[in-house]
Amino acid sequence: MPNHLINPNNWIKAYSDYLFNYTITRVNDRVIAQDLVSETFLAGLKSMKNFKGEASERTWLISILKRKIIDHYRKINSKKGKAEVRMSYNTGNEDEGDWMEERIADPFDKTAQDTMENSELGDAIYDCLAKLPEKQAEVFKMKTILNYETETICNELDITASNLWVIIHRARTALAECMKENWF
Amino acid sequence: MSKLKISCREANHVCDKNQYREATFWEKVKLNIHLIYCGICRKYSAKNNKLSKLFKTSNVEAMDYKSKEKLKSAFDRELAKHQ
Protein backbone atom coordinates (compact mmCIF):
# COMPACT_ATOMS: atom_id res chain seq x y z
CA MET A 1 0.00 0.00 0.00
CA PRO A 2 1.67 3.28 -1.02
CA ASN A 3 1.75 5.89 1.72
CA HIS A 4 2.24 8.83 -0.58
CA LEU A 5 0.20 9.78 -3.58
CA ILE A 6 1.45 11.45 -6.69
CA ASN A 7 -0.40 14.35 -8.24
CA PRO A 8 1.48 16.29 -10.91
CA ASN A 9 -1.26 18.90 -11.15
CA ASN A 10 0.09 20.92 -8.26
CA TRP A 11 3.79 20.20 -8.69
CA ILE A 12 4.68 23.60 -10.08
CA LYS A 13 2.82 25.52 -7.42
CA ALA A 14 3.99 23.39 -4.57
CA TYR A 15 7.58 22.53 -5.40
CA SER A 16 9.06 24.80 -8.09
CA ASP A 17 10.46 27.34 -5.62
CA TYR A 18 11.78 24.68 -3.30
CA LEU A 19 13.54 22.85 -6.13
CA PHE A 20 14.79 26.14 -7.54
CA ASN A 21 16.28 27.13 -4.20
CA TYR A 22 17.89 23.72 -3.92
CA THR A 23 19.41 24.05 -7.39
CA ILE A 24 20.58 27.64 -7.19
CA THR A 25 22.72 26.91 -4.15
CA ARG A 26 24.46 24.25 -6.21
CA VAL A 27 24.81 25.69 -9.69
CA ASN A 28 24.84 29.44 -9.02
CA ASP A 29 23.10 30.44 -12.22
CA ARG A 30 19.44 31.36 -12.42
CA VAL A 31 18.93 30.34 -16.04
CA ILE A 32 20.61 26.97 -15.64
CA ALA A 33 18.73 26.38 -12.39
CA GLN A 34 15.42 27.06 -14.10
CA ASP A 35 16.27 24.69 -16.92
CA LEU A 36 17.23 21.95 -14.50
CA VAL A 37 14.03 22.38 -12.51
CA SER A 38 11.88 22.24 -15.60
CA GLU A 39 13.77 19.15 -16.85
CA THR A 40 13.18 17.56 -13.46
CA PHE A 41 9.44 18.08 -13.65
CA LEU A 42 9.28 16.64 -17.14
CA ALA A 43 11.39 13.65 -16.18
CA GLY A 44 9.17 13.13 -13.14
CA LEU A 45 6.11 13.17 -15.35
CA LYS A 46 7.65 10.57 -17.64
CA SER A 47 8.61 8.20 -14.85
CA MET A 48 5.51 8.74 -12.76
CA LYS A 49 4.65 5.07 -12.89
CA ASN A 50 7.91 4.29 -11.12
CA PHE A 51 6.79 6.29 -8.11
CA LYS A 52 6.20 3.76 -5.38
CA GLY A 53 4.96 6.07 -2.69
CA GLU A 54 7.71 5.18 -0.27
CA ALA A 55 8.94 8.73 -0.09
CA SER A 56 7.05 11.97 -0.39
CA GLU A 57 6.64 13.54 -3.81
CA ARG A 58 9.07 16.26 -2.87
CA THR A 59 11.81 13.83 -1.85
CA TRP A 60 11.24 11.87 -5.02
CA LEU A 61 11.53 14.98 -7.19
CA ILE A 62 14.69 16.03 -5.34
CA SER A 63 16.26 12.67 -6.11
CA ILE A 64 15.59 13.25 -9.81
CA LEU A 65 16.91 16.79 -9.54
CA LYS A 66 20.11 15.60 -7.90
CA ARG A 67 20.84 13.40 -10.88
CA LYS A 68 20.10 16.28 -13.24
CA ILE A 69 22.56 18.49 -11.38
CA ILE A 70 25.26 15.84 -11.54
CA ASP A 71 24.60 15.40 -15.26
CA HIS A 72 24.91 19.13 -15.70
CA TYR A 73 28.33 19.16 -14.06
CA ARG A 74 29.46 16.20 -16.13
CA LYS A 75 28.44 17.98 -19.28
CA ILE A 76 30.29 21.22 -18.55
CA ASN A 77 33.33 19.30 -17.41
CA SER A 78 33.61 17.32 -20.60
CA LYS A 79 33.29 20.57 -22.54
CA LYS A 80 36.11 22.15 -20.63
CA GLY A 81 38.34 19.17 -21.07
CA LYS A 82 40.48 18.12 -18.23
CA ALA A 83 40.50 20.36 -15.26
CA GLU A 84 43.76 22.07 -14.67
CA VAL A 85 45.10 23.06 -11.33
CA ARG A 86 47.97 25.43 -11.25
CA MET A 87 49.60 26.73 -8.19
CA SER A 88 52.61 28.88 -7.84
CA TYR A 89 53.96 29.67 -4.47
CA ASN A 90 56.11 32.64 -5.27
CA THR A 91 54.82 34.63 -8.17
CA GLY A 92 55.71 38.25 -7.79
CA ASN A 93 58.03 40.15 -5.59
CA GLU A 94 55.11 41.59 -3.66
CA ASP A 95 54.42 38.23 -2.15
CA GLU A 96 57.90 37.77 -0.88
CA GLY A 97 57.96 37.15 2.81
CA ASP A 98 54.50 35.64 2.80
CA TRP A 99 54.26 32.64 4.99
CA MET A 100 52.84 29.39 3.76
CA GLU A 101 50.66 29.28 6.83
CA GLU A 102 48.77 32.29 5.58
CA ARG A 103 47.72 30.41 2.53
CA ILE A 104 46.18 27.58 4.43
CA ALA A 105 42.52 27.69 5.35
CA ASP A 106 41.91 29.50 8.56
CA PRO A 107 40.21 27.18 11.06
CA PHE A 108 38.48 30.18 12.59
CA ASP A 109 36.90 31.05 9.30
CA LYS A 110 33.71 29.07 9.60
CA THR A 111 32.35 29.74 6.15
CA ALA A 112 31.58 26.10 5.47
CA GLN A 113 29.59 25.75 8.63
CA ASP A 114 27.81 29.00 7.90
CA THR A 115 26.70 27.82 4.51
CA MET A 116 25.53 24.56 6.01
CA GLU A 117 23.44 26.37 8.57
CA ASN A 118 22.15 28.60 5.82
CA SER A 119 20.94 25.71 3.73
CA GLU A 120 19.28 24.16 6.78
CA LEU A 121 17.64 27.49 7.45
CA GLY A 122 16.53 27.63 3.83
CA ASP A 123 14.93 24.21 4.19
CA ALA A 124 13.19 25.26 7.38
CA ILE A 125 11.87 28.35 5.66
CA TYR A 126 10.49 26.36 2.77
CA ASP A 127 8.91 23.82 5.12
CA CYS A 128 7.10 26.64 6.88
CA LEU A 129 6.14 28.31 3.63
CA ALA A 130 4.59 25.04 2.49
CA LYS A 131 2.23 25.19 5.45
CA LEU A 132 0.83 28.55 4.45
CA PRO A 133 -2.22 28.88 2.22
CA GLU A 134 -1.10 29.03 -1.40
CA LYS A 135 -1.98 32.65 -1.99
CA GLN A 136 -0.26 33.84 1.17
CA ALA A 137 2.90 31.95 0.31
CA GLU A 138 2.93 33.30 -3.20
CA VAL A 139 2.47 36.94 -2.20
CA PHE A 140 4.97 36.62 0.62
CA LYS A 141 7.62 35.05 -1.60
CA MET A 142 7.21 37.72 -4.25
CA LYS A 143 7.51 40.48 -1.69
CA THR A 144 10.21 39.12 0.60
CA ILE A 145 12.37 36.80 -1.47
CA LEU A 146 12.05 38.32 -4.91
CA ASN A 147 11.79 41.88 -3.56
CA TYR A 148 9.10 42.91 -6.02
CA GLU A 149 7.50 46.32 -5.64
CA THR A 150 4.10 46.38 -4.00
CA GLU A 151 2.65 47.81 -7.19
CA THR A 152 4.10 45.05 -9.37
CA ILE A 153 2.63 42.33 -7.18
CA CYS A 154 -0.75 44.04 -7.11
CA ASN A 155 -0.77 44.23 -10.89
CA GLU A 156 0.36 40.65 -11.44
CA LEU A 157 -2.07 39.10 -8.99
CA ASP A 158 -4.85 41.64 -9.36
CA ILE A 159 -5.19 42.59 -5.70
CA THR A 160 -5.26 45.94 -3.90
CA ALA A 161 -2.40 47.29 -1.81
CA SER A 162 -4.34 47.01 1.44
CA ASN A 163 -5.22 43.46 0.48
CA LEU A 164 -1.54 42.75 -0.02
CA TRP A 165 -0.58 44.09 3.39
CA VAL A 166 -3.23 42.01 5.11
CA ILE A 167 -1.88 38.91 3.39
CA ILE A 168 1.71 39.84 4.28
CA HIS A 169 0.71 40.38 7.90
CA ARG A 170 -0.96 36.98 8.16
CA ALA A 171 1.94 35.27 6.45
CA ARG A 172 4.49 36.92 8.72
CA THR A 173 2.57 36.01 11.85
CA ALA A 174 2.21 32.40 10.75
CA LEU A 175 5.83 32.11 9.68
CA ALA A 176 7.14 33.61 12.90
CA GLU A 177 5.04 31.07 14.79
CA CYS A 178 6.34 28.23 12.63
CA MET A 179 9.99 29.25 12.76
CA LYS A 180 9.85 29.95 16.47
CA GLU A 181 10.50 26.40 17.56
CA ASN A 182 13.93 26.03 16.02
CA TRP A 183 15.24 29.36 14.92
CA PHE A 184 14.12 32.09 17.29
CA MET B 1 -0.68 64.33 21.23
CA SER B 2 -3.61 62.46 19.77
CA LYS B 3 -1.97 62.82 16.38
CA LEU B 4 0.93 60.77 17.62
CA LYS B 5 -1.17 57.95 19.01
CA ILE B 6 -2.03 55.07 16.74
CA SER B 7 -3.96 51.85 17.21
CA CYS B 8 -2.30 48.45 17.51
CA ARG B 9 -3.64 47.56 14.11
CA GLU B 10 -1.98 50.57 12.56
CA ALA B 11 1.19 49.93 14.50
CA ASN B 12 1.42 46.39 13.13
CA HIS B 13 0.82 47.66 9.63
CA VAL B 14 3.64 50.21 9.93
CA CYS B 15 5.86 47.51 11.41
CA ASP B 16 5.14 45.24 8.43
CA LYS B 17 5.85 48.04 5.99
CA ASN B 18 9.04 48.87 7.81
CA GLN B 19 10.35 45.35 7.15
CA TYR B 20 10.46 46.33 3.49
CA ARG B 21 11.73 49.87 4.15
CA GLU B 22 8.43 51.28 3.04
CA ALA B 23 7.39 53.13 6.18
CA THR B 24 7.73 56.91 6.15
CA PHE B 25 9.64 58.82 8.79
CA TRP B 26 6.49 59.94 10.59
CA GLU B 27 5.04 56.47 10.58
CA LYS B 28 8.19 55.20 12.23
CA VAL B 29 8.04 57.92 14.86
CA LYS B 30 4.43 57.02 15.62
CA LEU B 31 5.28 53.32 15.72
CA ASN B 32 8.09 53.88 18.20
CA ILE B 33 5.87 55.98 20.45
CA HIS B 34 3.29 53.21 20.35
CA LEU B 35 5.91 50.64 21.25
CA ILE B 36 6.82 52.56 24.40
CA TYR B 37 3.51 51.78 26.03
CA CYS B 38 2.28 48.66 24.20
CA GLY B 39 3.93 45.38 25.16
CA ILE B 40 1.99 43.23 22.72
CA CYS B 41 3.13 45.26 19.75
CA ARG B 42 6.65 45.31 21.12
CA LYS B 43 6.62 41.54 21.04
CA TYR B 44 5.22 41.45 17.52
CA SER B 45 7.79 43.99 16.39
CA ALA B 46 10.65 41.95 17.78
CA LYS B 47 9.39 38.75 16.14
CA ASN B 48 8.90 40.54 12.87
CA ASN B 49 12.41 41.97 12.86
CA LYS B 50 13.82 38.58 13.68
CA LEU B 51 11.95 37.01 10.80
CA SER B 52 13.35 39.58 8.38
CA LYS B 53 16.84 38.94 9.65
CA LEU B 54 16.39 35.18 9.19
CA PHE B 55 15.38 35.70 5.59
CA LYS B 56 18.36 37.93 5.01
CA THR B 57 20.90 35.48 6.41
CA SER B 58 19.34 32.43 4.75
CA ASN B 59 19.76 33.75 1.19
CA VAL B 60 16.75 31.73 0.08
CA GLU B 61 15.86 32.07 -3.56
CA ALA B 62 12.65 31.68 -5.46
CA MET B 63 11.79 31.45 -9.10
CA ASP B 64 10.60 34.75 -10.52
CA TYR B 65 6.97 35.12 -11.41
CA LYS B 66 7.31 35.25 -15.19
CA SER B 67 9.52 32.16 -15.42
CA LYS B 68 7.20 30.25 -13.17
CA GLU B 69 4.24 31.07 -15.38
CA LYS B 70 6.22 29.98 -18.41
CA LEU B 71 7.25 26.76 -16.71
CA LYS B 72 3.68 26.12 -15.69
CA SER B 73 2.26 26.50 -19.18
CA ALA B 74 5.00 24.32 -20.69
CA PHE B 75 4.43 21.69 -18.04
CA ASP B 76 0.66 21.78 -18.41
CA ARG B 77 1.04 21.07 -22.12
CA GLU B 78 3.13 17.99 -21.35
CA LEU B 79 0.74 16.98 -18.62
CA ALA B 80 -2.21 17.08 -21.01
CA LYS B 81 -0.43 14.54 -23.20
CA HIS B 82 -0.11 12.18 -20.27
CA GLN B 83 -3.69 12.26 -19.11
Side-chain angles (χ1 to χ4, degrees):
Chain A
M1 207 29 209
N3 311 315
H4 296 278
L5 297 171
I6 194 159
N7 176 19
N9 287 307
N10 64 11
W11 279 1
I12 305 284
K13 277 219 152 97
Y15 307 123
S16 56
D17 285 320
Y18 179 77
L19 295 188
F20 182 75
N21 184 54
Y22 184 93
T23 321
I24 197 95
T25 52
R26 286 159 177 86
V27 299
N28 250 325
D29 183 306
R30 295 191 81 88
V31 179
I32 293 170
Q34 267 161 27
D35 287 346
L36 290 172
V37 170
S38 104
E39 278 174 35
T40 303
F41 282 128
L42 294 179
L45 198 55
K46 267 185 201 145
S47 52
M48 230 162 69
K49 50 186 174 314
N50 298 334
F51 182 77
K52 294 188 194 79
E54 285 159 358
S56 70
E57 266 184 334
R58 199 177 79 173
T59 316
W60 185 69
L61 286 168
I62 283 285
S63 71
I64 299 175
L65 177 61
K66 273 184 193 161
R67 253 171 288 149
K68 294 277 171 205
I69 293 173
I70 293 169
D71 283 348
H72 161 74
Y73 275 112
R74 274 205 195 117
K75 220 188 292 167
I76 54 170
N77 255 327
S78 63
K79 260 186 220 153
K80 256 196 298 193
K82 278 168 195 154
E84 214 176 312
V85 181
R86 267 198 207 141
M87 216 177 170
S88 48
Y89 293 108
N90 259 324
T91 37
N93 293 332
E94 308 142 37
D95 293 339
E96 228 167 319
D98 265 4
W99 297 89
M100 276 298 278
E101 281 88 339
E102 285 170 8
R103 296 167 183 259
I104 293 167
D106 180 1
F108 296 107
D109 175 21
K110 296 208 184 68
T111 341
Q113 197 188 338
D114 283 349
T115 26
M116 209 160 77
E117 268 168 17
N118 273 354
S119 76
E120 272 174 29
L121 178 55
D123 281 352
I125 286 174
Y126 269 103
D127 285 342
C128 286
L129 278 170
K131 287 180 193 152
L132 294 183
E134 218 171 75
K135 185 92 171 182
Q136 268 181 34
E138 188 173 25
V139 173
F140 183 81
K141 275 187 272 190
M142 283 169 97
K143 185 89 186 127
T144 314
I145 302 179
L146 298 166
N147 296 319
Y148 286 176
E149 296 290 332
T150 306
E151 218 185 298
T152 321
I153 303 173
C154 290
N155 288 338
E156 291 284 4
L157 302 176
D158 202 21
I159 53 174
T160 63
S162 60
N163 219 324
L164 174 131
W165 286 111
V166 171
I167 294 173
I168 292 285
H169 181 69
R170 288 189 186 145
R172 294 193 79 94
T173 318
L175 281 175
E177 192 57 39
C178 176
M179 302 290 290
K180 190 171 73 180
E181 284 157 29
N182 298 316
W183 296 93
F184 273 27
Chain B
M1 189 60 205
S2 63
K3 266 186 192 163
L4 290 173
K5 268 197 155 181
I6 51 173
S7 65
C8 290
R9 210 192 148 95
E10 240 173 298
N12 284 345
H13 176 54
V14 175
C15 179
D16 288 334
K17 277 209 281 187
N18 200 24
Q19 305 306 317
Y20 304 97
R21 301 264 163 277
E22 284 180 37
T24 61
F25 173 71
W26 272 113
E27 282 174 328
K28 281 190 266 183
V29 170
K30 283 191 261 183
L31 171 66
N32 280 313
I33 290 173
H34 184 92
L35 293 184
I36 293 170
Y37 62 83
C38 180
I40 297 171
C41 288
R42 245 191 334 262
K43 247 185 208 157
Y44 178 72
S45 228
K47 266 201 296 191
N48 221 0
N49 291 336
K50 187 86 209 280
L51 189 69
S52 292
K53 231 180 248 164
L54 275 184
F55 269 85
K56 224 184 209 166
T57 49
S58 72
N59 285 325
V60 280
E61 295 271 1
M63 206 180 272
D64 64 275
Y65 190 70
K66 289 260 152 54
S67 330
K68 208 200 263 181
E69 293 284 288
K70 246 194 259 168
L71 174 63
K72 185 155 173 42
S73 59
F75 183 75
D76 283 347
R77 254 178 281 135
E78 273 308 300
L79 188 60
K81 284 183 211 163
H82 278 258
Q83 281 175 337

